[in-house]
Amino acid sequence: MKITSAEFVISNQDVKRCPNSGIPEYAFIGRSNVGKSSLINMLTNKKSLAKTSGRPGKTQLINHFLINKSWHLVDLPGYGYARVSKTSKAKFQKFITKYFEQRKQLISGFVLVDVRHEPQPIDVEFMEWLGESGIPFSIIFTKADKLKPNALERNVEAYKKFLTEGVWEEMPPYFVTSSSNNQGKEELLNYIGSINDTL
């Protein structure tokens, strides 16, 4: 699948105000410094569709983008290390869970993790919550260009081993990506396209 159009629709903190259309949507989420905005811009071929920042935690709203006039890409606030007040963080963490629990249009979540690091408790806990809640999701490993091929393969295998030994019977679908060189772009978009074709 190729993305030929990507347009901003709405930003808000209230799940009830999300688009009321019945078109499928795919939600992207991860720790605040995982490179989510860069990944979204890479996928959509738009350098500033999702706002990037040197300060983690810039996304604090549910952001809907209409892709190819046929599905929504949803950019969710990062969890974890954002430099926001505890009150603000509690507020948007609450509507994150509400979004996943209440959005009937949601087809799948994508949890982004930095492939340079070993499994982080906050990522694993969020995946466990998705699994326990019966919400389909895939893993997107980001920043693959920051590692040499052998180290990249070793880190991915270590992550797979950690999850399948301690959390999952089998590994969720996963993609290895880099926003710098478009690695994983075709595979990820084809995956979404193949799901859309079955709906």
Side-chain angles (χ1 to χ4, degrees):
M1 176 179 64
K2 290 186 177 181
I3 290 181
T4 56
S5 66
E7 49 198 286
F8 172 76
V9 179
I10 191 173
S11 293
N12 68 87
Q13 289 189 331
D14 186 350
V15 177
K16 293 179 181 177
R17 293 178 58 200
C18 289
N20 203 24
S21 62
I23 68 174
E25 56 191 48
Y26 299 83
F28 289 69
I29 191 168
R31 281 183 293 124
S32 300
N33 54 353
V34 76
K36 177 166 52 68
S37 296
S38 297
L39 177 83
I40 290 171
N41 292 337
M42 180 265 282
L43 292 176
T44 58
N45 297 314
K46 290 199 172 187
K47 292 183 178 179
S48 59
L49 187 72
K51 299 295 188 289
T52 58
S53 172
R55 181 173 62 83
K58 190 170 181 63
T59 303
Q60 296 184 30
L61 297 166
I62 303 170
N63 298 301
H64 275 74
F65 301 98
L66 181 62
I67 309 299
N68 291 352
K69 309 288 186 184
S70 61
W71 57 278
H72 281 132
L73 185 158
V74 184
D75 181 11
L76 292 172
Y79 51 77
Y81 307 112
R83 289 183 182 176
V84 295
S85 70
K86 289 183 179 180
T87 302
S88 176
K89 183 178 291 188
K91 186 176 182 181
F92 68 68
Q93 300 298 22
K94 188 173 182 179
F95 71 69
I96 287 173
T97 57
K98 276 190 175 182
Y99 169 83
F100 279 103
E101 290 171 344
Q102 298 178 11
R103 280 302 275 177
K104 294 180 180 179
Q105 294 92 334
L106 176 66
I107 303 300
S108 180
F110 290 97
V111 180
L112 280 63
V113 295
D114 189 331
V115 75
R116 297 174 298 175
H117 306 308
E118 61 185 29
Q120 302 294 304
I122 194 167
D123 293 325
V124 176
E125 288 168 9
F126 189 74
M127 292 180 206
E128 287 179 343
W129 177 79
L130 289 174
E132 290 167 358
S133 301
I135 299 165
F137 75 95
S138 299
I139 298 172
I140 297 179
F141 293 103
T142 63
K143 305 185 181 183
D145 61 293
K146 304 295 185 182
L147 293 175
K148 294 182 178 179
N150 287 343
L152 175 63
E153 182 178 357
R154 185 168 60 247
N155 283 17
V156 171
E157 288 303 315
Y159 214 104
K160 289 166 63 177
K161 183 178 180 181
F162 177 86
L163 288 184
T164 53
E165 285 184 352
V167 183
W168 306 98
E169 291 183 7
E170 59 180 334
M171 182 74 174
Y174 70 92
F175 304 88
V176 179
T177 69
S178 167
S179 300
S180 298
N181 59 23
N182 288 348
Q183 181 176 348
K185 177 179 181 178
E186 185 176 355
E187 292 85 354
L188 181 52
L189 290 178
N190 285 345
Y191 176 73
I192 293 174
S194 66
I195 296 176
N196 284 339
D197 287 343
T198 67
L199 300 175

